[in-house]
Amino acid sequence: QVQLLESGGGSVVAGGSLTLSCAVSGNTAGRNCRGWFRQGPGQEREGVASLYTLLHLVNYTDSVKGRFTVSQDNANNAVILQMHVVTADDAGIYYCASGGGWPCGLDSSQYTDWGQGTQVTVRC
């Protein structure tokens, strides 16, 4: 089982930047996909970004392309989500997830392990 712990959430001014981190621990064998998901108030959970750890291949939902960057911090066994030019639509609870398979998509059904989430609030 994989344990995931998100951090870095908080309040950010629209147009600003925020960096989220996800510490990964446990048995990650066969679980080479890392995903970031978010859920806004009254909305369904949506996939934001994914990363295939073995080749560092990334995938983004259209609304964050060019603004968000997902990467891995091997030294700290973490997955990072850098958020830039944040808008009100980016607010919500952000979840880190781990899963197997290929390619690493943005469908939550592919992911078997989830963190508790970290809240992102956008001030306009």
Side-chain angles (χ1 to χ4, degrees):
Q1 189 175 2
V2 180
Q3 290 79 45
L4 304 143
L5 181 62
E6 304 93 338
S7 62
S11 180
V12 58
V13 176
S17 299
L18 196 66
T19 297
L20 306 181
S21 181
C22 173
V24 183
S25 61
N27 183 9
T28 59
R31 291 180 168 86
N32 299 309
C33 289
R34 304 286 181 267
W36 280 99
F37 294 78
R38 67 186 179 193
Q39 187 166 16
Q43 299 180 358
E44 293 186 356
R45 189 174 298 186
E46 66 164 338
V48 175
S50 68
L51 180 147
Y52 182 57
T53 60
L54 297 183
L55 298 175
H56 202 270
L57 296 178
V58 298
N59 184 29
Y60 301 96
T61 192
D62 286 346
S63 65
V64 307
K65 285 181 180 177
R67 300 189 299 118
F68 289 14
T69 301
V70 61
S71 61
Q72 52 186 354
D73 178 356
N74 291 327
N76 295 297
N77 207 18
V79 182
I80 309 299
L81 183 69
Q82 295 177 294
M83 306 165 57
H84 301 291
V85 196
V86 171
T87 72
D89 290 339
D90 296 321
I93 301 174
Y94 280 70
Y95 299 91
C96 178
S98 174
W102 168 260
C104 298
L106 299 176
D107 188 331
S108 62
S109 65
Q110 184 176 0
Y111 296 83
T112 54
D113 305 283
W114 293 82
Q116 293 298 309
T118 186
Q119 179 77 50
V120 173
T121 303
V122 180
R123 307 192 309 275
C124 298

